[in-house]
Amino acid sequence: MSSPAFRSSWNTPFEGDLSGELELALRLADSADEIAMARFDAPDLDVRAKADASPVTEADLATERAIRDMLAEERPSDGVFGEEFGSSGDTGRQWIIDPIDGTANYLKGIPMWTTLIALAIEGVPRVGVASQPALGRRWWAASGLGSWTNTPSGAPRRLAVSRIPDIAASSVSFQSIAQWDEAGHTDALLRLSRAVWRDRGYGDTWPYMLLAEGRLECVAEFGVQEYDIAALVPIIREAGGTFTDFDGHESVSSRSSLATNGVLHESFLSLLHSPS
């Protein structure tokens, strides 16, 4: 069971204060970081195959259990939807969790993996935390509270997307050629790569954070689940960007994503869907 169909626009202002929910999400990430890092690059890491043949590690399971236990204690009336243990409880207020986004990297000892924690209220992603403890990086946001990241000095820095107005001057991340080929959009990927200044497949969460920091202008991918991208929506949007699915709809359940600096969103949609 996934998150509910959205009942209001993502542009609808939130009536209330989300600072307490954001503070909780950050504490959830603290706990997750500690658990996941304890087993990162361990030579005896337990790795198994799920029903869909994708890998799951003991750290994925332990991290999601810890987050669920904290939520059961502090937000017992809220629902939870996680990659490893599915959905339970109320969908009107639902925490959406990917304990380790990038499990293939994690089990290989590659530090590009992320814990993703989101809170969706009435189907709209309102709070998001993306934590990469192996790299010492974290990004967070909540509706009306801005989008932020940590810095070496320890002081948070507010994020803002780039204002580059031309596709020809933009830098994009397309994730992987295989993704686009399997979705039947190889021609669109070629148009994209030929039109922009620079294209790279950075992978998983990191390119979205580069977009929020103003270092990329577009990120798009296919085959994503709600827990892969829900936490990214408020981070991108609070930084001034735009986040939709590949067809331009406000959805995290369409199995596709298109995030941009906002200025170029319609231009990228037109380029991707118009062969001419």
Side-chain angles (χ1 to χ4, degrees):
M1 181 178 177
S2 63
S3 54
F6 295 127
R7 293 184 285 276
S8 60
S9 169
W10 290 359
N11 291 318
T12 304
F14 182 74
E15 301 294 334
D17 181 8
L18 288 168
S19 57
E21 307 311 304
L22 180 56
E23 187 272 338
L24 172 57
L26 290 168
R27 285 194 288 113
L28 293 172
D30 289 341
S31 177
D33 287 355
E34 183 177 355
I35 294 167
M37 284 301 295
R39 297 298 291 156
F40 177 55
D41 208 22
D44 59 343
L45 181 71
D46 183 37
V47 183
R48 302 177 185 181
K50 295 193 284 191
D52 63 0
S54 64
V56 61
T57 73
E58 61 182 273
D60 292 86
L61 302 175
T63 300
E64 185 168 325
R65 285 193 193 100
I67 294 172
R68 286 176 175 269
D69 287 346
M70 287 183 66
L71 288 171
E73 181 176 345
E74 301 202 32
R75 297 291 187 276
S77 62
D78 289 356
V80 182
F81 175 40
E83 177 177 8
E84 307 307 337
F85 297 108
S87 179
S88 61
D90 180 24
T91 58
R93 279 180 53 95
Q94 186 178 59
W95 295 87
I96 304 175
I97 303 162
D98 192 341
I100 297 179
D101 180 55
T103 297
N105 285 339
Y106 183 92
L107 63 87
K108 285 285 190 178
I110 298 170
M112 298 300 296
W113 50 272
T114 315
T115 294
L116 297 172
I117 300 167
L119 172 62
I121 300 175
E122 296 301 319
V124 180
R126 294 293 189 182
V127 175
V129 175
S131 190
Q132 292 186 336
L135 295 176
R137 294 301 310 276
R138 183 179 290 183
W139 302 261
W140 63 93
S143 296
L145 298 179
S147 185
W148 304 83
T149 190
N150 59 342
T151 64
S153 70
R157 175 171 62 87
R158 190 159 189 167
L159 302 178
V161 296
S162 82
R163 307 314 296 169
I164 288 176
D166 301 314
I167 284 182
S170 65
S171 183
V172 307
S173 178
F174 58 81
Q175 301 300 72
S176 76
I177 295 172
Q179 256 190 8
W180 289 64
D181 187 40
E182 291 168 6
H185 291 293
T186 308
D187 289 346
L189 178 59
L190 289 174
R191 284 197 304 277
L192 179 67
S193 65
R194 289 166 179 163
V196 300
W197 169 62
R198 183 177 173 86
D199 64 286
R200 291 291 186 272
Y202 294 113
D204 300 316
T205 295
W206 195 42
Y208 294 95
M209 301 302 96
L210 293 175
L211 173 64
E213 292 180 352
R215 308 181 198 281
L216 297 179
E217 282 65 57
C218 177
V219 182
E221 63 176 324
F222 298 92
V224 288
Q225 304 285 344
E226 291 95 324
Y227 44 74
D228 294 316
I229 55 176
L232 313 179
V233 173
I235 297 173
I236 297 293
R237 288 178 51 80
E238 286 293 307
T242 300
F243 200 118
T244 68
D245 67 12
F246 188 74
D247 294 316
H249 304 133
E250 294 179 339
S251 173
V252 294
S253 59
S254 301
R255 304 298 180 259
S256 68
S257 63
L258 176 67
T260 74
N261 68 349
V263 176
L264 287 169
H265 202 78
E266 293 302 322
S267 296
F268 276 116
L269 279 170
S270 179
L271 172 67
L272 292 168
H273 291 279
S274 302
S276 60

